[in-house]
Amino acid sequence: MARITLLRHGKSENPKVGVSDFDRALIKRGQQNADNVGNMMIQLKMLPDFVLVSPAMRTKQTYELVSQNWPDIPMMFVDGLYEATANQLMYVIEEQANNSQNMMVIGHNPSLVVLLNRMVGSTHTDNNLSYFPTCCLADIGFEADRVRDIDPEDGRLLSIVRARDLDSHAL
């Protein structure tokens, strides 16, 4: 089963005069949440085999914290993930899929939440999929062996984890 894991960056500082949106950094809560999500992914054996990351400061920092205890997993910063539409995000995933079976994308809303809803359709009414806060992770499975072979609108939500719901003491 091919999987795509979508992760929104951790909580970042509020917009400030003189600091571009691109350069906003994670706040302490965002840092802790990213660390917790990364540890949860290890414990639940959810590690990807390839990671795509937006080059914005908050997504870079999220990646560094999420992956700090992971084995060496190939990753790529992709300019097209910053301020992308859901269609552009899917294009980047398809373009970079190669032989990946489990790809992860660390990016931004609204593209992540729109793509998530498009991938899993309306069959998952038990989850509020429009609520995709910072450091939220959605794991989507597809009936294909590799990401390059998926039907992007035929995914099945395997799990959704909102970082604030994780018990940091249990990780």
Side-chain angles (χ1 to χ4, degrees), residues 38-39 41-43 45-51 63-64 66-75:
N39 288 330
M41 291 179 72
I42 291 170
Q43 288 179 358
K45 298 182 181 357
M46 293 177 62
L47 296 182
D49 55 28
F50 187 60
V51 184
Y63 167 73
E64 290 167 5
V66 166
S67 67
Q68 67 186 341
N69 296 315
W70 293 1
D72 190 25
I73 295 172
M75 66 79 64

Side-chain angles (χ1 to χ4, degrees), residues 99-116:
N99 285 321
S100 293
Q101 183 178 11
N102 303 314
M103 180 182 279
M104 180 177 203
V105 179
I106 303 175
H108 311 268
N109 268 349
S111 60
L112 289 175
V113 71
V114 171
L115 184 60
L116 169 62

Side-chain angles (χ1 to χ4, degrees), residues 109 113 116-117 127-133 162:
N109 268 349
V113 71
L116 169 62
N117 280 278
N127 291 301
N128 181 357
L129 297 185
S130 63
Y131 180 58
F132 204 77
R162 294 172 178 99

Side-chain angles (χ1 to χ4, degrees), residues 84-104:
T85 65
N87 286 341
Q88 291 166 329
L89 182 55
M90 192 63 227
Y91 175 78
V92 170
I93 291 169
E94 290 171 342
E95 184 179 61
Q96 298 300 328
N98 299 320
N99 285 321
S100 293
Q101 183 178 11
N102 303 314
M103 180 182 279
M104 180 177 203

